[in-house]
C-alpha cells in the first residue's frame, strides 16, 4: 500500500484493498476481510471511483451478513444498490438487488425481498442471461415454497429446468430434486416420485454422489410417509451405504437418524433393537 501511495497510485488503493478482502474472506478471516473492504471503500470514495466503491461496499455488506451483523449490512447494501442504479450496469444491479433481497428476507420483510428479487429477474431476462436467470428463479422458488405458494414455486423450478443446458446433468439433477421436494410438500406424491426417479437417473456421475444421497433420502421419506416400509428401508440403506463409502460422517449420521425414526414407526413392531442401533450409530 505504501508503494502504491508513493507511486501516486492512490486511485488504485480501493482495488488493492478489495483483493485483500477477498483473500482474507476465503481464508476465513472475516474480521480482516471487513477491515480491508472498509479501507477500500474509504480509498475509493476519496478517489471518486464509484465502481470500486460499489465493489468494496458489496464485500463489506456481505461480510457483515456472514458475521450476523445484519443491521450494519443493510444500509451498505442499500447504498450499493443506489450506486448500481447510477451506473446502470445489469450485473451490478442484479448483484445489489439480490443482496438487498436476502437481507430483507433475513429481517422478516419477505414480500419486499421477493419484489426486489423479481425486479432482478426482469433485468436478467432482458440481458438474456439464462444462467443468472436460472439461479435467481431457483432462489425465488424456494421463498415462494416457504410461503406455501407451491404452484408458483413449482412453475419457477420447471422454468429453471427449461433454461438449464441439457448437457449439464448435475444441474438438472439438483433442480429436479428441488422440484420433487416441492411436489412432495404439495401432496403430489406420484409426481414427486417420478421427478426423484428422473433426478436419480441424471445424477449418475462420480461427482454427483452428494446429490444422490439427497435424492435417496427424499425417496426414503416419501415411501415412509406412504407407509411403504420396504421401499423406505431400501432407499435409506442405499443413501447410508453411499455416505459411508464417501466417508462423510455427518451425512451418514443424518441418514441413521432417519432410519431410527423409520424403525420406530414400523407397524406392529415390538423389536426396537434396529431403531436403537440406528440411533446409536447416529451419535
Amino acid at each position: 500500500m505504501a508503494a502504491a501511495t508513493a507511486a501516486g497510485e492512490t486511485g488504485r488503493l480501493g482495488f488493492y484493498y478489495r483483493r485483500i478482502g477477498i483473500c482474507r474472506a476465503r481464508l476465513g478471516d472475516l474480521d480482516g476481510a471487513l477491515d480491508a473492504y472498509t479501507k477500500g471503500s474509504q480509498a475509493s470514495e476519496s478517489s471518486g471511483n464509484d465502481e470500486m466503491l460499489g465493489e468494496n461496499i458489496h464485500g463489506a455488506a456481505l461480510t457483515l451478513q456472514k458475521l450476523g451483523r445484519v443491521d450494519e449490512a443493510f444500509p451498505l447494501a442499500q447504498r450499493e444498490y443506489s450506486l448500481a442504479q447510477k451506473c446502470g450496469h445489469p450485473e451490478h444491479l442484479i448483484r445489489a438487488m439480490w443482496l438487498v433481497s436476502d437481507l430483507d428476507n433475513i429481517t422478516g420483510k419477505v414480500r419486499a425481498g421477493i419484489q426486489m428479487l423479481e425486479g432482478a429477474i426482469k433485468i436478467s431476462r432482458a440481458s438474456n442471461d439464462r444462467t443468472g436467470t436460472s439461479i435467481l428463479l431457483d432462489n425465488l422458488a424456494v421463498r415462494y415454497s416457504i410461503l406455501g405458494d407451491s404452484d408458483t414455486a413449482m412453475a419457477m423450478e420447471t422454468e429453471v429446468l427449461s433454461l438449464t443446458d441439457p448437457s449439464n446433468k448435475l444441474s438438472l439433477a439438483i433442480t429436479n430434486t428441488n422440484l420433487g421436494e416441492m411436489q412432495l410438500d404439495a401432496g403430489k406424491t406420484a409426481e414427486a416420485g417420478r421427478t426423484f426417479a428422473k433426478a436419480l437417473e441424471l445424477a449418475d456421475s462420480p461427482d454427483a454422489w452428494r446429490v444422490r444421497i439427497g435424492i435417496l433420502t427424499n425417496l426414503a421419506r416419501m415411501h415412509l410417509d406412504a407407509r411403504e416400509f420396504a421401499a423406505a428401508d431400501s432407499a435409506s440403506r442405499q443413501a447410508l451405504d453411499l455416505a459411508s463409502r464417501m466417508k462423510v460422517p455427518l451425512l451418514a449420521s443424518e441418514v441413521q437418524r432417519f432410519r431410527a425414526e423409520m424403525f420406530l414407526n414400523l407397524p406392529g413392531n415390538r423389536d426396537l433393537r434396529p431403531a436403537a442401533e440406528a440411533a446409536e450409530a447416529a451419535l
Side-chain angles (χ1 to χ4, degrees):
M1 298 305 162
T5 303
E9 295 183 0
T10 52
R12 298 279 292 169
L13 284 175
F15 171 81
Y16 296 138
Y17 276 121
R18 176 176 174 267
R19 296 305 304 171
I20 292 171
I22 291 171
C23 291
R24 286 183 174 171
R26 287 177 179 172
L27 290 170
D29 179 12
L30 295 182
D31 290 323
L34 179 60
D35 179 67
Y37 286 131
T38 301
K39 289 176 179 175
S41 298
Q42 293 166 350
S44 299
E45 191 153 31
S46 296
S47 64
N49 188 338
D50 281 355
E51 183 174 349
M52 195 50 58
L53 176 60
E55 295 289 344
N56 277 289
I57 285 177
H58 178 80
L62 203 58
T63 304
L64 285 166
Q65 180 186 3
K66 291 175 182 176
L67 288 167
R69 294 159 61 179
V70 177
D71 289 344
E72 296 172 68
F74 200 80
L76 289 181
Q78 289 178 314
R79 188 174 181 201
E80 183 200 357
Y81 180 40
S82 296
L83 288 166
Q85 287 177 302
K86 183 179 175 182
C87 82
H89 194 289
E91 183 180 340
H92 294 172
L93 274 168
I94 291 167
R95 183 183 65 181
M97 293 171 79
W98 194 350
L99 182 55
V100 171
S101 174
D102 275 351
L103 293 170
D104 273 334
N105 197 49
I106 291 170
T107 54
K109 294 177 284 190
V110 180
R111 290 293 179 186
I114 283 176
Q115 288 175 358
M116 183 65 76
L117 204 53
E118 286 175 336
I121 289 172
K122 287 181 182 178
I123 296 171
S124 185
R125 287 192 199 279
S127 303
N128 294 315
D129 182 359
R130 292 172 66 90
T131 301
T133 302
S134 296
I135 294 170
L136 291 166
L137 277 169
D138 184 63
N139 190 287
L140 191 56
V142 171
R143 298 194 194 184
Y144 273 113
S145 180
I146 292 171
L147 287 176
D149 189 346
S150 299
D151 289 340
T152 300
M154 290 185 291
M156 287 181 171
E157 286 295 346
T158 301
E159 185 178 355
V160 172
L161 286 173
S162 71
L163 292 170
T164 303
D165 182 349
S167 66
N168 192 339
K169 295 173 72 175
L170 183 57
S171 290
L172 289 170
I174 293 170
T175 303
N176 271 292
T177 303
N178 293 340
L179 178 58
E181 289 174 354
M182 292 172 185
Q183 290 168 333
L184 199 57
D185 289 341
K188 300 178 182 292
T189 307
E191 289 181 39
R194 289 192 292 271
T195 303
F196 286 139
K198 187 184 299 180
L200 200 58
E201 183 180 336
L202 288 162
D204 60 353
S205 60
D207 63 338
W209 60 268
R210 191 180 293 272
V211 178
R212 285 185 70 85
I213 291 172
I215 299 166
L216 289 164
T217 303
N218 273 305
L219 279 169
R221 293 190 184 283
M222 182 189 75
H223 289 306
L224 182 60
D225 289 344
R227 305 188 71 75
E228 298 166 352
F229 295 103
D233 180 47
S234 175
S236 62
R237 189 180 296 278
Q238 290 179 64
L240 178 60
D241 288 346
L242 185 52
S244 300
R245 193 163 68 249
M246 299 307 299
K247 295 181 172 57
V248 190
L250 184 60
L251 282 177
S253 177
E254 290 175 0
V255 179
Q256 287 285 25
R257 280 195 290 272
F258 167 81
R259 286 178 62 78
E261 174 191 343
M262 178 186 69
F263 287 126
L264 285 171
N265 282 281
L266 285 173
N269 182 38
R270 293 295 179 267
D271 183 4
L272 298 181
R273 283 175 297 179
E277 289 169 2
E280 185 177 346
L283 297 176

